[in-house]
Amino acid sequence: MTRKVLFLISCVVGAAVFSAGCSQQTSEITGEGQSNSGETPLVLTTFTVLQDIAHNVAGDYLRVESITKPGAEIHGYEPTPGDIARASGASLILDNGMGLEAWFEKFVAGIDAPHTVVSDGVEVIAIAEDAYKGLPNPHAWMSPRNAQTYVDNMVQAFSDLQPENADDFAANGQAYKKELREVQDRLEAALATLPDNERALVTCEGAFSYLARDAGLQEAYIWPVNAEQQATPTQIAEAIEFVKDNDVKAVFCESTVSDAPMQQVVRATDAQFGGTLYVDSLSEQGGPVPTYLELINHDVDTIIAGLTGDVR
């Protein structure tokens, strides 16, 4: 074999080894959420509900991830260094706003990534009592009607990020909003025949103000914001009085808190426990509410069944 041939073979082998080494190094350096040139842009959301809605709008054009994991409590979440690293590689960050993510302002202070408040445009309901009185109730996504505003804000933000795909984002948004309208229409139709004094939604946390307003229901709860560790005797007594005064057929509690205080209300009244509602987080895949549409449909079905007397 000539020297020239040997030289060519060694060059080819060397190039292959160098290429493999570079590929391995790149895969080790590029962590989840970091974006290299040519990769699908990363959109980072603060919690899983926003992630799922955003994914439905974005389709395959954007990679959407959540800072918090399924089942996490969003109000007092403490970001990790890994969260900050992911955010630094994001093309866009979506947050709920309205004071939901108390940690968010500090989190994004040193991050050079644009962010969109997806609740912008929602007609705000103020928290009615306790230390949070007068502040916005942040749980606007719990109304299928408000969730359509979230979709519109995402369509606009994604179109600004990728103008060439704006028509597809708009089409995805319209299709998703149609499903949300169907949920809202079903809720309103199912509760339309309830007597006025029975049109009441009683939960552990005041997370359903927007859904109650849009469905024409009175709202009552044990505590206004899910920051208390336990209910006070006064809060339980007030819930009992409300249930008795309004002949409420069923009461509910959220998946992220103990239903023990609400069970006291059940024992002291004629109301049944109507079931568990989901609010701040989706479940893992294979769980009861792995998507937002499944979450809101579950809650609507549970509320309808309880208030119409068909408790499961």
Side-chain angles (χ1 to χ4, degrees), residues 89-113:
S91 298
L92 177 67
I93 302 175
L94 304 180
D95 67 299
N96 183 79
M98 303 171 76
L100 177 74
E101 306 98 335
W103 45 273
F104 185 76
E105 185 175 346
K106 184 177 180 181
F107 174 72
V108 295
I111 295 173
D112 185 22

Side-chain angles (χ1 to χ4, degrees), residues 169-226:
F169 295 142
N172 292 344
Q174 288 301 321
Y176 196 72
K177 285 165 63 176
K178 181 177 182 292
E179 295 188 82
L180 293 171
R181 285 193 295 271
E182 290 171 354
V183 179
Q184 182 69 35
D185 292 346
R186 181 161 54 84
L187 175 64
E188 293 176 7
L191 301 182
T193 59
L194 281 180
D196 288 345
N197 69 307
E198 295 180 18
R199 299 184 64 82
L201 180 61
V202 181
T203 57
C204 285
E205 181 189 10
F208 294 87
S209 299
Y210 297 94
L211 184 146
R213 178 184 67 187
D214 293 346
L217 300 172
Q218 296 184 74
E219 182 196 23
Y221 42 79
I222 295 179
W223 53 78
V225 177
N226 186 16

Side-chain angles (χ1 to χ4, degrees), residues 238-291:
E238 289 175 348
I240 290 171
E241 182 180 4
F242 181 90
V243 169
K244 288 181 175 179
D245 288 347
N246 291 278
D247 191 26
V248 176
K249 284 188 169 63
V251 296
F252 309 88
C253 199
E254 295 73 44
S255 64
T256 51
V257 297
S258 169
D259 66 7
M262 193 59 81
Q263 294 294 351
Q264 293 184 54
V265 176
V266 170
R267 289 192 294 270
T269 66
D270 293 329
Q272 299 185 62
F273 184 70
T276 299
L277 303 177
Y278 294 85
V279 180
D280 291 342
S281 177
L282 304 181
S283 62
E284 297 280 1
Q285 289 298 320
V289 290
T291 70

Side-chain angles (χ1 to χ4, degrees), residues 26-35 63:
T26 300
S27 68
E28 290 172 352
I29 291 174
T30 304
E32 182 184 14
Q34 294 177 332
S35 178
R63 181 163 51 99

Side-chain angles (χ1 to χ4, degrees), residues 6-305:
L6 288 171
F7 176 77
L8 290 172
I9 291 173
S10 66
C11 286
V12 170
V13 171
V17 170
F18 178 78
S19 175
C22 288
S23 297
Q24 181 178 8
Q25 185 180 35
T26 300
S27 68
E28 290 172 352
I29 291 174
T30 304
E32 182 184 14
Q34 294 177 332
S35 178
N36 286 339
S37 176
E39 286 190 357
T40 304
L42 170 64
V43 174
L44 200 60
T45 72
T46 49
F47 63 114
T48 54
V49 169
L50 300 188
Q51 177 191 19
D52 184 67
I53 298 173
H55 174 72
N56 279 274
V57 175
D60 294 329
Y61 293 117
L62 303 170
R63 181 163 51 99
V64 185
E65 298 177 2
S66 172
I67 295 172
T68 57
K69 292 181 171 60
E73 204 287 312
I74 183 65
H75 298 278
Y77 180 73
E78 296 183 5
T80 67
D83 295 331
I84 296 172
R86 279 202 293 164
S88 298
S91 298
L92 177 67
I93 302 175
L94 304 180
D95 67 299
N96 183 79
M98 303 171 76
L100 177 74
E101 306 98 335
W103 45 273
F104 185 76
E105 185 175 346
K106 184 177 180 181
F107 174 72
V108 295
I111 295 173
D112 185 22
H115 81 272
T116 293
V117 180
V118 293
S119 65
D120 277 354
V122 167
E123 184 180 346
V124 174
I125 296 176
I127 297 171
E129 57 188 272
D130 284 2
Y132 307 95
K133 183 176 181 179
L135 296 176
N137 186 317
H139 300 94
W141 70 90
M142 290 310 301
S143 156
R145 190 171 295 165
N146 285 345
Q148 296 177 59
T149 298
Y150 283 49
V151 171
D152 289 340
N153 287 329
M154 291 176 185
V155 168
Q156 184 60 58
F158 298 165
S159 298
D160 291 343
L161 184 63
Q162 289 188 334
E164 67 275 17
N165 298 319
D167 289 346
D168 287 339
F169 295 142
N172 292 344
Q174 288 301 321
Y176 196 72
K177 285 165 63 176
K178 181 177 182 292
E179 295 188 82
L180 293 171
R181 285 193 295 271
E182 290 171 354
V183 179
Q184 182 69 35
D185 292 346
R186 181 161 54 84
L187 175 64
E188 293 176 7
L191 301 182
T193 59
L194 281 180
D196 288 345
N197 69 307
E198 295 180 18
R199 299 184 64 82
L201 180 61
V202 181
T203 57
C204 285
E205 181 189 10
F208 294 87
S209 299
Y210 297 94
L211 184 146
R213 178 184 67 187
D214 293 346
L217 300 172
Q218 296 184 74
E219 182 196 23
Y221 42 79
I222 295 179
W223 53 78
V225 177
N226 186 16
E228 289 83 358
Q229 296 302 311
Q230 59 186 5
T232 67
T234 299
Q235 288 172 326
I236 294 175
E238 289 175 348
I240 290 171
E241 182 180 4
F242 181 90
V243 169
K244 288 181 175 179
D245 288 347
N246 291 278
D247 191 26
V248 176
K249 284 188 169 63
V251 296
F252 309 88
C253 199
E254 295 73 44
S255 64
T256 51
V257 297
S258 169
D259 66 7
M262 193 59 81
Q263 294 294 351
Q264 293 184 54
V265 176
V266 170
R267 289 192 294 270
T269 66
D270 293 329
Q272 299 185 62
F273 184 70
T276 299
L277 303 177
Y278 294 85
V279 180
D280 291 342
S281 177
L282 304 181
S283 62
E284 297 280 1
Q285 289 298 320
V289 290
T291 70
Y292 171 70
L293 279 173
E294 287 172 289
L295 180 152
I296 200 65
N297 273 294
H298 166 89
D299 285 0
V300 164
D301 288 343
T302 302
I303 290 167
I304 289 172

